[in-house]
Short mmCIF file of all heavy atoms in Angstrom, two decimals:
data_model
loop_
_atom_site.label_atom_id
_atom_site.label_comp_id
_atom_site.label_asym_id
_atom_site.label_seq_id
_atom_site.Cartn_x
_atom_site.Cartn_y
_atom_site.Cartn_z
N LYS B 64 33.82 17.47 -11.90
CA LYS B 64 34.37 17.15 -10.57
C LYS B 64 33.28 16.55 -9.67
O LYS B 64 33.48 15.49 -9.06
CB LYS B 64 34.92 18.43 -9.90
CG LYS B 64 36.04 19.12 -10.69
CD LYS B 64 36.61 20.30 -9.95
CE LYS B 64 35.64 21.47 -9.77
NZ LYS B 64 35.27 22.11 -11.05
N SER B 65 32.15 17.24 -9.62
CA SER B 65 31.08 16.75 -8.76
C SER B 65 30.58 15.38 -9.24
O SER B 65 30.27 14.50 -8.43
CB SER B 65 29.91 17.75 -8.74
OG SER B 65 30.34 18.96 -8.15
N GLN B 109 28.77 19.76 -2.30
CA GLN B 109 28.98 21.12 -2.77
C GLN B 109 27.88 22.05 -2.27
O GLN B 109 28.15 23.18 -1.90
CB GLN B 109 29.03 21.13 -4.31
CG GLN B 109 29.31 22.52 -4.87
CD GLN B 109 29.75 22.48 -6.31
OE1 GLN B 109 29.68 21.45 -6.99
NE2 GLN B 109 30.21 23.62 -6.80
N ASP B 185 33.60 18.33 -1.75
CA ASP B 185 33.32 19.01 -3.02
C ASP B 185 33.28 20.52 -2.77
O ASP B 185 32.33 21.03 -2.19
CB ASP B 185 31.99 18.51 -3.60
CG ASP B 185 31.89 18.78 -5.08
OD1 ASP B 185 32.74 19.52 -5.61
OD2 ASP B 185 30.96 18.23 -5.71
N GLU B 186 34.33 21.19 -3.17
CA GLU B 186 34.47 22.63 -2.95
C GLU B 186 34.19 23.01 -1.49
O GLU B 186 33.33 23.84 -1.20
CB GLU B 186 33.47 23.41 -3.85
CG GLU B 186 33.42 22.92 -5.28
CD GLU B 186 34.26 23.77 -6.22
OE1 GLU B 186 34.94 24.70 -5.74
OE2 GLU B 186 34.26 23.48 -7.42
MG1 LIG C 302 30.76 20.81 -8.79
#
Side-chain angles (χ1 to χ4, degrees):
Chain B
K64 301 184 293 294
S65 296
Q109 182 164 10
D185 200 349
E186 314 261 4

